[in-house]
Amino acid sequence: MNEVVKFLQENPVQYLATVGRDGKAKCRPFMFAGELDDKLWFCTNNTKDVYKDMQQNPNIEVSVSSPSYEWIRLNGEAVFEDNMAAKEMCIQNPIVKGQYGEASNSIFEVFYLKNAHAVIADFSGNPPREYDL
């Protein structure tokens, strides 16, 4: 888990892929919020299409590459939970705080990845490192 969290923190703008409600692939910039209770947390709001897409099909994938040409692919099931500790963790990010103000904002949602699987790879030819989280 530590290597995955470190990679996401060091490369803060990831891309989250969903299956849209129209059945087509959607990919959006996203930010990892942090690790809490051995879960990887993200946040969004319940008025966005991405939230509605994940409600219909919670299977998602997150990907990002580093300046040193390593990348991660992280997939799992988005599980939304009204978890105030996770919301408080997320709201510490100044960008998130600027959008939602406080953790109790009624549109502010947090989710973690259930059955998460991460692959970290590069162009070295070495086998990728895989993690079940």
Side-chain angles (χ1 to χ4, degrees):
M1 171 93 67
N2 290 341
E3 187 175 3
V4 171
V5 169
K6 182 176 184 257
F7 196 94
L8 294 171
Q9 289 172 334
E10 289 176 351
N11 302 283
V13 179
Q14 298 98 35
Y15 294 90
L16 182 135
T18 63
V19 176
R21 287 163 289 147
D22 61 2
K24 296 179 182 177
K26 309 292 181 201
C27 190
R28 304 161 173 96
F30 238 77
M31 292 177 66
F32 170 65
E35 184 265 330
L36 180 69
D37 299 329
D38 293 325
K39 297 174 184 171
L40 303 174
W41 290 89
F42 299 82
C43 62
T44 189
N45 86 56
N46 57 30
T47 67
K48 290 185 175 182
D49 286 339
V50 67
Y51 174 83
K52 295 170 188 170
D53 291 347
M54 287 189 282
Q55 293 297 305
Q56 184 170 318
N57 183 342
N59 297 297
I60 65 168
E61 185 162 87
V62 174
S63 184
V64 65
S65 62
S66 73
S68 63
Y69 303 105
E70 282 189 303
W71 61 87
I72 189 169
R73 292 179 57 208
L74 170 66
N75 63 63
E77 181 182 339
V79 177
F80 286 86
E81 186 176 285
D82 189 20
N83 183 317
M84 191 52 73
K87 288 182 176 184
E88 291 290 349
M89 176 185 65
C90 293
I91 209 79
Q92 298 307 308
N93 180 314
I95 295 170
V96 175
K97 185 162 185 65
Q99 290 179 349
Y100 304 109
E102 56 189 46
S104 61
N105 186 322
S106 64
I107 66 169
F108 187 48
E109 302 283 349
V110 294
F111 64 95
Y112 67 89
L113 293 185
K114 179 180 174 183
N115 299 322
H117 180 78
V119 177
I120 299 175
D122 59 33
F123 291 112
S124 70
N126 293 324
R129 300 178 308 279
E130 297 195 42
Y131 307 90
D132 289 313
L133 309 166

